[in-house]
Amino acid sequence: MVNIKTKAGVLIKGAAWMTAFSLVNKLLGVFLRLFLATRIGSEGMGLYQLIMSVYTMFSTFATAGFTLSVSRLVAEKEERSHGDAMLLMKNAFTASAFISIIATVIMLALANPIAVKILGDVRCASPLRILALSMPFMALAACLKGWFIAKLKVAVTASASLLEQIIKISVIALFLNLFFAQSNDIGKLCIGIVMGVTVSEMCSFTYLFLFRYIPLRKNKQTFLTTESKKDNMSSLISVTLPISLSVYLTSILHTVETLLIPYVFESYSGDRSYALSQFGMIRGMVIPILFFPFAFLGSLISVFTPEISRLNLLADRKPINARISSLMSFVSLLSVAVGGLFFFLSYEIGEAFYPNENTASAIKILSLVTPFMYVETVADGLLKAIGEQVQTLKFSVYNSILRVILILVFVSKTGENGYLWLLVISNTFTYILCRRRLYKSTGVKIRVLTDVLLPLAAVIPAGLCAVFAVKAFGFTNATANCILGSSVYLGLFAVLLVIFAFGRLKTFYYRLRGNEG
């Protein structure tokens, strides 16, 4: 068995690679949304979000949690036999291909009824048919990503995502600026957008496939397996099924939630166009901005998930508990900082990204729960890495049911402001559930002083100084004010944090290496 500490350098380098690629990828995603918001407007963004909600549900069935399952199982089986890992990959490919083809056929057959009877807009039918063609490629790519993550070749998966984003943007720009340059028909423009999505998924799979199989053809070896095909498939099913059920149930409930929102907005305002605009503003503009800084944390967790799974096999719980404790402390620190940034500079950030779209109020309200969003997302991933899939399934179902009930009872009477507070309530709820379960499973507690109070002690003065700097030295340009305020905030936050917690900061590094210092 490979010594845990010898992998620390690989893990940290992998996290660095993933972070770099993810940040570039997220930046490109933000610029794409800016372009789309300008080209199709908030109403178009709302229609596009409706289309993507149905697509997400079907693609969830197609991918079925294979990335996480493959990365975890390959990491575990590599400890025993490379042949077992190779066999598992073949089984995952077969299962994902079968499931994704079924999902594609169903989506093609139901595209028109879904568009007319569920979404209430026939313009959604053609985009749904085009998106259906991408699902087999997405499902197979999910398995390949899991393989590369388990092998700690994160640069391959990160570069694949970046390539996918570049191709998506290029194809969308080609359609919207060339083929549909003279059209303002939102339906046609959505066709151009989903063409970019589909082509990019095909290219991403091709890229990963070449990286996976060209080396195998050059180095033909025979790997012996220690388990039968039946046992290997059973282990795949035992891990994938709970994750898949969780994703399936939450995806269905999430889709129901997404489809209900425009209807309750419309019933509240009496205006379909306004309802789509508000829906597009919150789901298509504000929430992506709030999750933009999560690129780093998402990269970190995806890199450390296979390592957490390996450590989970050890009888000694100290290494895995130390690793999880360090990760959660780091996530808490960064998430509080991000929440403060959005709270104090909500207007500047909103105007910099989406001028005259009135996003500031939504950003400020959701900034209150941004730390909970981040921590809950990471805790959910860690729980799955240590075999707590059933619990995460329960939490996801509870949360989705809560949201649907609140939409029908509360949001229908309060409109978009009610929906914003619904997000605050539901994300706080899932945060409590995940943190409580993580504590029960690992004994990792919330360090109130270092994880909450110290970051807040740095956030508040940094935020107030950033607001003062913008008012005192601000520019007429919103983007310049956003950069000025963010620079003052982040710089002062870092300085104050070092002053307040100098003795604690170095322990993050040692704990990530598996050394309790």
Side-chain angles (χ1 to χ4, degrees):
M1 184 177 292
V2 181
N3 190 294
I4 295 168
K5 294 181 183 180
T6 62
K7 295 181 180 178
V10 177
L11 289 170
I12 293 172
K13 287 180 182 178
W17 273 109
M18 283 287 285
T19 300
F21 278 111
S22 294
L23 287 175
V24 174
N25 201 20
K26 287 283 186 179
L27 279 172
L28 291 174
V30 169
F31 286 123
L32 174 60
R33 286 186 176 274
L34 288 172
F35 168 69
L36 293 180
T38 302
R39 187 70 176 86
I40 65 177
S42 56
E43 182 182 353
M45 291 293 285
L47 186 66
Y48 172 61
Q49 289 297 316
L50 282 179
I51 294 168
M52 293 304 292
S53 67
V54 175
Y55 171 62
T56 299
M57 184 182 71
F58 277 95
S59 63
T60 297
F61 279 94
T63 54
F66 278 106
T67 298
L68 181 59
S69 301
V70 170
S71 66
R72 174 183 162 184
L73 287 172
V74 167
E76 293 176 357
K77 292 181 183 300
E78 282 280 283
E79 296 291 309
R80 297 189 293 268
S81 167
H82 186 67
D84 291 344
M86 296 281 285
L87 179 59
L88 183 129
M89 190 63 186
K90 292 179 180 178
N91 287 333
F93 246 52
T94 302
S96 63
F98 177 74
I99 295 171
S100 63
I101 290 172
I102 292 176
T104 299
V105 171
I106 294 174
M107 189 171 174
L108 285 171
L110 297 180
N112 199 68
I114 290 173
V116 175
K117 296 182 179 180
I118 298 178
L119 301 183
D121 200 316
V122 72
R123 295 175 296 180
C124 297
S126 294
L128 288 175
R129 292 191 190 96
I130 295 169
L131 288 169
L133 302 177
S134 70
M135 284 191 287
F137 300 97
M138 181 190 297
L140 296 176
C143 296
L144 291 169
K145 288 176 182 177
W147 172 272
F148 285 119
I149 290 172
K151 292 287 190 176
L152 303 180
K153 296 181 179 179
V154 294
V156 177
T157 58
S159 59
S161 297
L162 181 59
L163 175 67
E164 180 181 330
Q165 187 76 287
I166 292 171
I167 292 173
K168 182 195 301 181
I169 292 172
S170 301
V171 175
I172 290 174
L174 180 66
F175 273 87
L176 268 58
N177 290 336
L178 184 62
F179 298 140
F180 300 145
Q182 304 302 319
S183 176
N184 290 317
D185 185 331
I186 294 175
K188 287 185 179 179
L189 296 178
C190 283
I191 289 175
I193 296 171
V194 300
M195 283 295 296
V197 174
T198 299
V199 173
S200 66
E201 290 289 353
M202 294 176 177
C203 293
S204 178
F205 162 73
T206 304
Y207 178 84
L208 291 168
F209 182 85
L210 293 175
F211 264 96
R212 172 71 177 85
Y213 285 100
I214 287 179
L216 289 181
R217 292 183 64 85
K218 289 182 178 178
N219 304 296
K220 293 182 179 180
Q221 299 180 43
T222 301
F223 296 100
L224 299 177
T225 59
T226 61
E227 60 184 0
S228 66
K229 290 184 178 180
K230 183 178 179 180
D231 290 339
N232 190 280
M233 179 62 83
S234 295
S235 65
L236 176 65
I237 293 173
S238 66
V239 174
T240 305
L241 189 59
I243 296 175
S244 300
L245 288 175
S246 173
V247 175
Y248 289 165
L249 285 173
T250 54
S251 179
I252 292 171
L253 289 169
H254 185 69
T255 302
V256 170
E257 171 200 335
T258 302
L259 298 180
L260 279 174
I261 295 167
Y263 283 107
V264 296
F265 282 6
E266 183 179 357
S267 66
Y268 177 77
S269 65
D271 187 335
R272 170 74 173 175
S273 177
Y274 177 79
L276 281 177
S277 296
Q278 292 301 301
F279 175 63
M281 184 268 287
I282 296 173
R283 295 294 291 269
M285 298 179 183
V286 172
I287 291 179
I289 290 178
L290 293 174
F291 264 92
F292 172 73
F294 191 77
F296 177 74
L297 291 178
S299 304
L300 191 71
I301 296 306
S302 65
V303 170
F304 275 90
T305 293
E307 185 66 7
I308 295 294
S309 297
R310 290 187 182 96
L311 293 176
N312 197 46
L313 298 174
L314 301 178
D316 183 5
R317 308 308 295 173
K318 288 184 179 179
I320 187 171
N321 290 347
R323 190 69 54 83
I324 290 175
S325 177
S326 178
L327 286 170
M328 292 305 295
S329 293
F330 186 76
V331 170
S332 297
L333 172 68
L334 187 59
S335 62
V336 171
V338 171
L341 176 68
F342 285 122
F343 180 82
F344 286 103
L345 298 172
S346 57
Y347 177 79
E348 288 75 18
I349 292 172
E351 287 301 303
F353 283 96
Y354 303 107
N356 304 316
E357 290 290 348
N358 299 318
T359 57
S361 176
I363 292 174
K364 186 177 286 289
I365 291 174
L366 293 182
S367 70
L368 300 174
V369 79
T370 297
F372 289 168
M373 289 182 185
Y374 282 24
V375 175
E376 179 266 322
T377 303
V378 172
D380 180 83
L382 291 175
L383 285 170
K384 289 175 181 174
I386 61 175
E388 294 281 351
Q389 301 96 323
V390 175
Q391 291 300 321
T392 59
L393 165 61
K394 291 179 181 178
F395 299 159
S396 298
V397 172
Y398 295 159
N399 182 49
S400 295
I401 292 173
L402 172 66
R403 287 165 76 127
V404 170
I405 292 172
L406 287 177
I407 287 172
L408 294 173
V409 175
F410 179 60
V411 179
S412 60
K413 298 177 182 178
T414 54
E416 57 272 15
N417 286 329
Y419 179 63
L420 292 172
W421 287 107
L422 174 151
L423 294 175
V424 172
I425 294 168
S426 68
N427 281 284
T428 304
F429 174 67
T430 50
Y431 164 80
I432 293 171
L433 291 177
C434 285
R435 282 300 310 220
R436 183 169 174 270
R437 187 63 195 181
L438 196 63
Y439 169 69
K440 278 191 169 185
S441 301
T442 65
V444 173
K445 300 179 180 179
I446 301 174
R447 295 172 178 154
V448 177
L449 177 62
T450 56
D451 296 353
V452 181
L453 295 182
L454 284 179
L456 280 176
V459 161
I460 295 172
L464 293 174
C465 289
V467 172
F468 173 78
V470 170
K471 289 183 177 179
F473 310 104
F475 307 94
T476 56
N477 183 274
T479 302
N481 284 333
C482 179
I483 294 172
L484 171 63
S486 299
S487 300
V488 171
Y489 174 86
L490 295 174
L492 188 56
F493 175 84
V495 170
L496 290 173
L497 192 66
V498 170
I499 293 173
F500 294 156
F502 180 76
R504 297 287 304 172
L505 293 178
K506 63 182 181 180
T507 62
F508 286 144
Y509 175 74
Y510 292 117
R511 286 178 179 274
L512 285 176
R513 290 177 62 89
N515 186 334
E516 294 191 62

